Amino acid sequence: MSITSPLPGRAGSVDFVDGYTRLFGIVGHPIRQVRSPQTVTFELRRRGINAILLPLHVLPEDFDSVFPPLLKLANLDGLVVTVPHKTAVPRHLDGIGPLGKFSGSVSILARTSDNCWVGEMFDGTGCVQALQKHGIGLTGQRILLLGAGGAGAAIAAALARTQPASLHVKEPDNGRRNRLRARLTGAFPALVLPDGMPQLDEIDVLINASPVGMLDADRMPIEVDRIPAHVAVLDAIMDPEETRLLHLAKACGCRTVPGRDMLDSQIVSAVDFMMATRTLQLGEVAYPT
Amino acid sequence: MSITSPLPGRAGSVDFVDGYTRLFGIVGHPIRQVRSPQTVTFELRRRGINAILLPLHVLPEDFDSVFPPLLKLANLDGLVVTVPHKTAVPRHLDGIGPLGKFSGSVSILARTSDNCWVGEMFDGTGCVQALQKHGIGLTGQRILLLGAGGAGAAIAAALARTQPASLHVKEPDNGRRNRLRARLTGAFPALVLPDGMPQLDEIDVLINASPVGMLDADRMPIEVDRIPAHVAVLDAIMDPEETRLLHLAKACGCRTVPGRDMLDSQIVSAVDFMMATRTLQLGEVAYPT
């Protein structure tokens, strides 16, 4: 932060915010753990845009009364949505992208030039991009996905787009698992969705989208004590950065991708989407593919 | 602004906002001309507080639907209110200070520790403080105030508190002038409020609180071509910084105070009020005197 000392008799001033600053926000509860304020603001500034992404702490019980009025702030250009509000957003939007529709949740909102608000779910795309950035191929590969909740559904849809050889979904809640499998089959008829649990040496990529291991470095989302070295492992969990699953994978010589890389990968494409949408009318919005 | 280059594979970050940042805002329309984002943020940072004051552009037609939900943002600690919303704020508050009640308008809002919102009108206090900072006394002095609108009423009440010898109020709208005089008499029974227009050599301090001269360096709020050198002149107009009135006053050897000093003077006391209120319950709030 740079601050300028005041002239005699004059108020001092900072150089990172003024009346022209465009606003972006991240809406969540709790809010202190978020990193978008630092990282998305960096990306906006890197592009020469006078803008800040702020933490906007909205309590769950206030969401439906606070969120729609917030969208009326005339200098607000985009929002990131995080826990627990992702599934509450779609009902307040004028348009929603295909992954948002599929997962019933939205992580990035953008304002159109005709002052409508549209959104899309970027969490799955972030997972795919993080794997690609680590040189881990998905097309033609055999993937095992742990977890069929909100994050799992978004990741499954993004994975399906990459045309893997097969996608196993493991989820302790059978009803949830079957619902996701049915929706995947409907949306991606060519996707191979084997039933049952594979051996780890029958898969190429292992992705944890379940909460098991979050804030608990002792728990494992899958009961194994060895992972074949050819399996690439991504854990969507942010905290701890090295989960027990990733620790084991590293020890076994696997390539590993931490959850934070998933989030970092979304930043550029989310800012691309928000800035491009600002110049388009509702009917012209292009969702990332 | 300081930005940190990203580590390889990692998102870059800025150092002036994160998930812990407390929010302050200035609510107005238009918004680009405001200076509180730079100056109040400076004052907050100077005190070591992780906070930013942002421009919040609220259109007049949206005010009543957007403003109350905004106050529910759990990390929002205070607001500055500017044109044209100052008179619309009081109806949304849990508590209002004496100058806010008197003027029917509020410029600074603070959140109490029990999550109530209180406000006070600081514009008049800023005028008095700016004069005092320039060494211009008010107690026992003869003051001529031009304008009896919102700004004029707030300034008149703050001036009345300093116990001047007399306060002349000049205002082309007779009804408005008489209403302000009646309210001043009710609130400050000892205040001497002479009728009619004095000669400039019969006064000590001349204050323009009318909009005449705003964005128009050719217009004068009072028809004179000379001001006695003993008269101190404050013009509440911000733009241009040197109005025709101030230009004439300087040329005549008068002490002059520009409108910007009025705003600058409010910053420290407004931040004091917002930070102190954050630690108090609604019943304990102390308004500046």
Side-chain angles (χ1 to χ4, degrees):
Chain A
M1 182 198 59
S2 157
I3 57 180
T4 309
S5 276
L7 298 170
R10 279 290 152 92
S13 64
V14 299
D15 65 356
F16 53 83
V17 62
D18 61 27
Y20 289 79
T21 302
R22 302 298 298 185
L23 304 185
F24 294 78
I26 176 164
V27 175
H29 169 76
I31 200 70
R32 293 181 166 186
Q33 80 290 351
V34 298
R35 293 183 61 254
S36 300
Q38 298 98 301
T39 56
V40 177
T41 303
F42 174 88
E43 179 60 22
L44 290 161
R45 300 279 166 150
R46 197 184 61 76
R47 300 178 188 212
I49 302 164
N50 178 357
I52 301 185
L53 186 136
L54 301 150
L56 300 173
H57 189 188
V58 177
L59 302 176
E61 63 268 29
D62 290 334
F63 185 81
D64 283 323
S65 64
V66 172
F67 193 73
L70 214 52
L71 300 181
K72 289 190 188 171
L73 283 177
N75 55 342
L76 184 77
D77 280 345
L79 286 173
V80 178
V81 182
T82 189
V83 177
H85 300 310
K86 285 179 189 175
T87 56
V89 169
R91 59 179 172 269
H92 298 298
L93 297 182
D94 302 301
I96 180 166
L99 295 180
K101 276 182 194 150
F102 182 86
S103 64
S105 58
V106 157
S107 65
I108 303 292
L109 274 79
R111 185 199 284 270
T112 66
S113 64
D114 48 350
N115 282 316
C116 296
W117 283 91
V118 299
E120 175 60 311
M121 182 62 176
F122 277 64
D123 290 359
T125 325
C127 172
V128 167
Q129 286 170 346
L131 287 161
Q132 287 168 342
K133 199 176 288 181
H134 282 258
I136 297 162
L138 294 166
T139 306
Q141 302 297 297
R142 299 160 299 174
I143 304 172
L144 170 57
L145 174 66
L146 312 178
I155 289 172
L159 290 171
R161 287 179 164 185
T162 67
Q163 301 182 293
S166 63
L167 177 62
H168 278 90
V169 179
K170 178 178 179 282
E171 158 67 52
D173 178 336
N174 273 326
R176 174 183 276 179
R177 174 172 172 275
N178 292 335
R179 282 194 298 277
L180 176 57
R181 282 165 50 89
R183 279 159 58 219
L184 283 168
T185 302
F188 307 96
L191 179 66
V192 178
L193 275 167
D195 213 345
M197 180 64 187
Q199 297 298 312
L200 287 192
D201 48 17
E202 296 166 5
I203 63 154
D204 306 301
V205 181
L206 171 63
I207 295 170
N208 178 39
S210 83
V212 179
M214 191 185 293
L215 302 176
D216 184 348
D218 286 339
R219 295 190 63 207
M220 284 278 281
I222 183 172
E223 283 178 40
V224 292
D225 49 21
R226 198 191 61 81
I227 303 172
H230 77 275
V231 177
V233 180
L234 178 147
D235 198 328
I237 285 171
M238 304 284 299
D239 190 4
E241 185 161 338
E242 183 168 297
T243 58
R244 188 171 159 200
L245 175 67
L246 288 180
H247 184 77
L248 174 65
K250 270 187 188 169
C252 295
C254 305
R255 287 172 297 173
T256 59
V257 183
R260 181 168 158 174
D261 285 20
M262 243 178 82
L263 220 60
D264 283 359
S265 289
Q266 294 177 59
I267 293 169
V268 173
S269 43
V271 172
D272 283 345
F273 174 62
M274 293 189 287
M275 298 318 295
T277 301
R278 200 68 193 85
T279 69
L280 302 171
Q281 297 202 318
L282 179 59
E284 305 165 336
V285 173
Y287 298 98
T289 50
Chain B
M1 183 199 56
S2 157
I3 57 179
T4 309
S5 276
L7 298 169
R10 280 290 152 91
S13 64
V14 298
D15 65 356
F16 53 83
V17 62
D18 62 26
Y20 288 79
T21 303
R22 302 298 299 185
L23 305 184
F24 294 77
I26 176 164
V27 176
H29 169 77
I31 199 71
R32 292 180 167 187
Q33 80 290 351
V34 298
R35 294 184 59 256
S36 300
Q38 299 98 300
T39 55
V40 178
T41 303
F42 173 88
E43 179 61 21
L44 290 161
R45 300 278 166 151
R46 198 184 61 76
R47 299 179 189 212
I49 301 164
N50 177 357
I52 301 184
L53 186 137
L54 301 149
L56 300 174
H57 188 188
V58 177
L59 302 177
E61 62 268 32
D62 290 334
F63 185 82
D64 282 323
S65 64
V66 172
F67 193 74
L70 214 53
L71 301 182
K72 289 190 186 171
L73 283 177
N75 55 343
L76 184 77
D77 280 345
L79 287 172
V80 178
V81 182
T82 188
V83 176
H85 300 310
K86 284 179 190 176
T87 56
V89 169
R91 58 179 173 269
H92 298 297
L93 297 183
D94 302 302
I96 181 165
L99 294 179
K101 276 182 193 152
F102 181 86
S103 64
S105 58
V106 157
S107 65
I108 304 291
L109 274 79
R111 186 199 284 270
T112 65
S113 63
D114 47 349
N115 282 315
C116 295
W117 281 91
V118 299
E120 175 59 311
M121 182 63 176
F122 276 65
D123 290 0
T125 326
C127 172
V128 167
Q129 286 170 345
L131 287 162
Q132 285 168 342
K133 200 176 285 181
H134 282 258
I136 297 162
L138 295 165
T139 306
Q141 303 296 297
R142 300 160 298 173
I143 306 173
L144 170 57
L145 174 66
L146 311 177
I155 290 172
L159 290 171
R161 287 178 165 186
T162 68
Q163 301 183 292
S166 62
L167 177 62
H168 278 90
V169 179
K170 178 177 178 282
E171 157 69 51
D173 178 337
N174 272 328
R176 173 183 276 180
R177 174 173 172 275
N178 292 335
R179 283 193 298 278
L180 176 58
R181 282 165 50 88
R183 281 158 56 219
L184 284 167
T185 301
F188 306 96
L191 180 66
V192 178
L193 276 166
D195 213 345
M197 180 65 186
Q199 297 297 313
L200 287 192
D201 49 16
E202 296 166 4
I203 63 156
D204 305 301
V205 181
L206 171 63
I207 296 169
N208 178 39
S210 84
V212 179
M214 191 186 293
L215 301 176
D216 184 347
D218 285 339
R219 294 190 64 208
M220 283 278 281
I222 183 172
E223 283 177 41
V224 292
D225 48 21
R226 197 191 62 82
I227 303 173
H230 77 276
V231 178
V233 180
L234 177 147
D235 198 327
I237 286 171
M238 304 283 299
D239 190 4
E241 185 161 337
E242 183 167 298
T243 57
R244 188 170 161 201
L245 175 67
L246 288 180
H247 184 78
L248 174 65
K250 270 186 189 170
C252 293
C254 305
R255 287 171 296 172
T256 60
V257 183
R260 182 169 156 173
D261 285 21
M262 241 178 84
L263 221 59
D264 284 0
S265 289
Q266 293 177 60
I267 293 169
V268 172
S269 44
V271 173
D272 284 344
F273 174 62
M274 293 190 286
M275 299 318 294
T277 301
R278 200 68 193 85
T279 68
L280 302 171
Q281 297 202 319
L282 179 58
E284 304 165 336
V285 172
Y287 298 97
T289 49

